[in-house]
Amino acid sequence: MTPQDLKKKLGFVNHKSYGMYKELQGEYGFPEYLLCIDHVQGDPFAAPSRVRVRIPGKTHGLKDSWHDTRQKKRAAEDYLLRRFNESIRRFENRNMGSGKSGSITTCRTGQEVLERIAVLFDGDVLEVRMEIGFPARGRTILADELETILFSILPQILQNAFYLRKLDEREMERRIGLAQEQEAIRKQMKEKGLIAFLADGSILPRESGVSERPMKQAVPFSSPESMRVSMELPGGKTITGMGIPQGITVITGGGYHGKSTLLKALEKGVYDHILGDGREYVLTEESAWKVRAEDGRYIRECDISPFIANLPGGQDTKNFSSLNASGSTSQAANVIEGIESKTSAFLIDEDTTATNFMVRDEWMSQLVADEKEPITPFIRKIRSLYEDRGISTVIVVGSSGDYLTVADHVLQMDCYVTKDVTRQAKKIAADIPVPRGQEFPAMVFRKPFTGKMATDKYGDYKIKTGGCDTLILNKETIDLRYLEQIADPGQLAALGAMLRYILKNGWSGRMTKQQAVDAVYRDIEKNGFLSVIPRGYSAGHPVMPRKQELYGVLNRWRR
């Protein structure tokens, strides 16, 4: 259909009941792009209508070399999405009627560079997704206002955001160049046996507890000389910083001196960050998994016997289930979950752990005999996790000095200055009596780590999300508030779509959890992110999550 067809339809529905807007659904070939009205809201107060625009390469003029690899494509799409949001904001203060009338929105962005579907290169075609509140007064259509949006405002927004003639090419090159540098550093981390790299001069503290922007006048990060490594960047540039090697690294220091700030930077270092974030060159191995206690979490058929056994009442911890797990059992399950998801490193903050899961000192060992204590503390397995399974650990401790006895490296935070105190710590640890039973037994499992997946029950699922905390499939709520490495609400929308994809393909009845997760990401690699997103998606803008978070969803879904 043509733009004239759209104008005729607008004239036909003008001043009629709001439901008549449904007549507009379809595709309209404008001279410079294809406008697709995919879904029309049923009410001016409902979620806005979903609109898509496909801009051919001859119109936008963006260079093919900006999106000819996955890394460059993600960086270019991210930058264009940020420009799109800026362009929308110039027109956002419009009063065109009731409810959401006249609103134009798209996927919001944070400090991380993530794979999204809001702006997407499809070959040389640029596909853009947004929501538009179709205007009405009460429930009466204001078609003249919608015509202004579609024929005047929207073309200006698109030109400002996506057309080469309006683009700062040097800024685009900088964004893509940073992405290539981050990719090069990650490759060298693997070659050098590092689980993380923090560049000298990085700004780790954040503006506040509710802001991810860098803190002004913060102490720049500087590596201890003994742990400083160099990274070669494309173009011959070299940067230096601290490399955290594989093994066991303890971070200690006084309260408020920057221990948790350093760990938080490592947690978010699984993602690339934008220019100006301060953590552009703070990179952590992408599968690193934050482990914490999670009181009340759901556990289904999980083998936690490496840590918890001989429970009173004879409950089987090789096939353990709980609707309301304690701190220690939840943390045990979270460790097993990390192993199941093939993590390369655990990230742990003493402040958010169950103390009885982490350590058991000599005095308590004498008072309560080992055979009477069901919990084997994490410290007794930490060495086996690395030596037998190749899983490193970075742990923040303020009071559990026992971890000095197992550490390969010890860092001290002193007024946000990082010091390597490994030699001093090992000397102290040599004088610490090793608690009885701390012989580091190997991690042994009887079977795959967690139980069966639920099978399809409804035939289809309506997906809803609540921030970064809650995912709802139909009326079934999945509590994800303790998956602290989720960086964007859109990742929950994508996780819901992935879970639906597993169920719709019937994999839950014939695949293990690991096979199903691998199959999802294999299909994404082959067919693109959109291939797992339902056509009529309604739960925000999906954003690519990691495999680790998909395991987290599967293991917390109470059905």
Side-chain angles (χ1 to χ4, degrees):
M1 290 182 283
T2 67
Q4 288 69 35
D5 293 327
L6 179 56
K7 283 189 176 182
K8 287 179 183 178
K9 287 186 179 182
L10 287 168
F12 174 71
V13 303
N14 196 24
H15 301 307
K16 293 186 178 178
S17 176
Y18 200 89
M20 291 295 291
Y21 263 141
K22 296 285 185 184
E23 296 292 321
L24 304 184
Q25 283 186 208
E27 298 181 354
Y28 304 90
F30 280 67
E32 294 191 331
Y33 52 79
L34 180 68
L35 174 69
C36 309
I37 300 176
D38 294 328
H39 171 79
V40 176
Q41 66 205 90
D43 184 276
F45 295 91
S49 303
R50 292 195 294 278
V51 175
R52 186 165 41 96
V53 173
R54 289 179 60 83
I55 311 172
K58 65 182 181 182
T59 298
H60 61 65
L62 302 175
K63 299 176 183 178
D64 291 341
S65 61
W66 287 346
H67 56 93
D68 57 4
T69 69
R70 185 170 182 176
Q71 190 81 4
K72 291 161 70 175
K73 178 174 177 287
R74 183 176 63 182
E77 290 168 350
D78 177 84
Y79 176 53
L80 291 171
L81 176 58
R82 293 172 193 275
R83 286 180 55 85
F84 189 29
N85 271 306
E86 289 173 6
S87 186
I88 288 171
R89 280 195 287 271
R90 300 178 191 177
F91 298 91
E92 67 183 353
N93 294 320
R94 297 181 306 278
N95 183 8
M96 290 187 169
S98 309
K100 297 179 173 65
S101 293
S103 69
I104 302 176
T105 57
T106 189
C107 183
R108 299 300 184 187
T109 55
Q111 299 297 100
E112 295 81 13
V113 179
L114 302 169
E115 189 170 344
R116 299 176 169 91
I117 67 168
V119 173
L120 194 64
F121 280 105
D122 180 12
D124 71 338
V125 174
L126 191 64
E127 189 164 85
V128 180
R129 288 173 171 77
M130 70 200 84
E131 292 81 36
I132 299 177
F134 284 9
R137 180 172 291 109
R139 290 188 56 83
T140 300
I141 288 175
L142 297 178
D144 291 342
E145 299 283 15
L146 182 56
E147 183 174 330
T148 299
I149 292 173
L150 297 180
F151 286 84
S152 177
I153 294 174
L154 182 59
Q156 293 179 66
I157 290 173
L158 296 175
Q159 288 179 29
N160 291 336
F162 302 116
Y163 288 20
L164 182 63
R165 62 180 179 266
K166 297 276 189 174
L167 191 72
D168 184 341
E169 293 188 48
R170 291 181 61 186
E171 184 65 15
M172 174 68 92
E173 297 282 0
R174 287 180 66 206
R175 304 277 177 145
I176 292 172
L178 174 60
Q180 292 177 296
E181 291 173 348
Q182 291 163 336
E183 185 178 35
I185 292 172
R186 291 191 186 279
K187 181 179 178 182
Q188 291 172 73
M189 283 166 53
K190 288 182 170 62
E191 295 169 352
K192 296 174 185 288
L194 304 176
I195 59 169
F197 173 77
L198 299 94
D200 291 328
S202 297
I203 302 299
L204 306 188
R206 298 295 92 187
E207 190 174 60
S208 70
V210 294
S211 171
E212 281 291 303
R213 287 189 287 237
M215 178 185 287
K216 296 176 181 177
Q217 299 179 333
V219 177
F221 179 82
S222 180
S223 172
E225 194 58 42
S226 58
M227 299 185 71
R228 182 169 281 122
V229 297
S230 297
M231 294 289 181
E232 303 296 327
L233 303 182
K237 181 182 174 183
T238 301
I239 62 170
T240 61
M242 183 174 75
I244 298 181
Q246 296 170 357
I248 300 167
T249 300
V250 169
I251 302 171
T252 188
Y256 304 100
H257 280 249
K259 304 186 300 296
S260 295
T261 298
L262 174 56
L263 191 74
K264 283 287 184 186
L266 295 177
E267 288 174 30
K268 292 299 177 68
V270 297
Y271 305 112
D272 293 344
H273 286 77
I274 61 171
L275 280 168
D277 173 76
R279 299 168 297 183
E280 298 96 321
Y281 301 110
V282 176
L283 303 169
T284 308
E285 212 288 324
E286 291 163 304
S287 67
W289 180 241
K290 173 67 183 299
V291 174
R292 57 164 297 154
E294 194 173 340
D295 284 355
R297 78 153 280 184
Y298 170 67
I299 301 173
R300 181 169 184 255
E301 298 177 15
C302 182
D303 182 0
I304 60 172
S305 62
F307 295 104
I308 299 175
N310 304 319
L311 287 175
Q315 187 173 3
D316 183 9
T317 58
K318 293 181 179 178
N319 194 32
F320 182 79
S321 297
S322 174
L323 296 174
N324 189 24
S326 67
S328 57
T329 53
S330 65
Q331 194 166 348
N334 290 348
V335 171
I336 304 305
E337 191 169 73
I339 298 171
E340 178 187 38
S341 70
K342 302 176 185 176
T343 185
S344 61
F346 287 127
L347 307 176
I348 302 174
D349 191 333
E350 179 186 65
D351 285 351
T352 58
T353 61
T355 303
N356 60 340
F357 177 80
M358 297 301 295
V359 292
R360 187 162 181 253
D361 61 32
E362 178 63 19
W363 294 277
M364 194 56 68
S365 295
Q366 291 182 30
L367 181 63
V368 180
D370 279 359
E371 56 270 19
K372 296 292 186 181
E373 173 53 69
I375 301 173
T376 300
F378 184 76
I379 193 171
R380 300 189 188 181
K381 299 289 187 178
I382 193 171
R383 178 57 57 186
S384 174
L385 281 167
Y386 175 58
E387 294 179 353
D388 300 335
R389 294 189 168 269
I391 302 176
S392 301
T393 299
V394 178
I395 181 169
V396 168
V397 298
S399 59
S400 301
D402 286 353
Y403 277 91
L404 300 180
T405 66
V406 297
D408 297 311
H409 300 276
V410 181
L411 302 174
Q412 181 182 357
M413 300 302 296
D414 184 358
C415 296
Y416 286 90
V417 175
T418 310
K419 300 178 179 179
D420 180 4
V421 294
T422 304
R423 184 177 299 177
Q424 180 183 354
K426 286 187 178 295
K427 183 177 179 182
I428 293 170
D431 298 328
I432 298 175
V434 177
R436 182 163 50 86
Q438 199 150 296
E439 60 274 5
F440 313 120
M443 296 285 288
V444 177
F445 293 93
R446 179 177 62 88
K447 61 174 188 175
F449 308 119
T450 50
K452 302 172 185 176
M453 290 183 288
T455 54
D456 195 357
K457 175 180 174 183
Y458 297 112
D460 204 356
Y461 289 85
K462 185 174 182 180
I463 302 164
K464 293 183 179 179
T465 62
C468 291
D469 297 338
T470 306
L471 171 63
I472 303 173
L473 270 74
N474 293 346
K475 295 182 180 179
E476 299 173 356
T477 300
I478 308 173
D479 184 355
L480 303 177
R481 69 188 125 160
Y482 294 122
L483 296 187
E484 296 181 355
Q485 288 169 284
I486 290 176
D488 190 289
Q491 288 177 302
L492 268 65
L495 288 165
M498 289 174 169
L499 180 50
R500 175 188 179 276
Y501 188 76
I502 289 171
L503 294 167
K504 296 290 287 180
N505 279 288
W507 295 343
S508 58
R510 54 189 173 86
M511 285 187 182
T512 66
K513 205 173 301 174
Q514 289 170 319
Q515 289 171 335
V517 171
D518 288 343
V520 171
Y521 282 85
R522 190 165 55 246
D523 284 0
I524 291 173
E525 186 71 29
K526 181 180 178 181
N527 303 315
F529 187 21
L530 266 175
S531 65
V532 303
I533 306 300
R535 186 174 181 83
Y537 74 94
S538 59
H541 284 273
V543 176
M544 180 71 81
R546 304 182 305 153
K547 282 186 178 182
Q548 281 66 34
E549 276 68 46
L550 182 52
Y551 277 104
V553 168
L554 290 167
N555 290 331
R556 286 163 181 77
W557 185 27
R558 289 179 178 259
R559 196 175 64 78

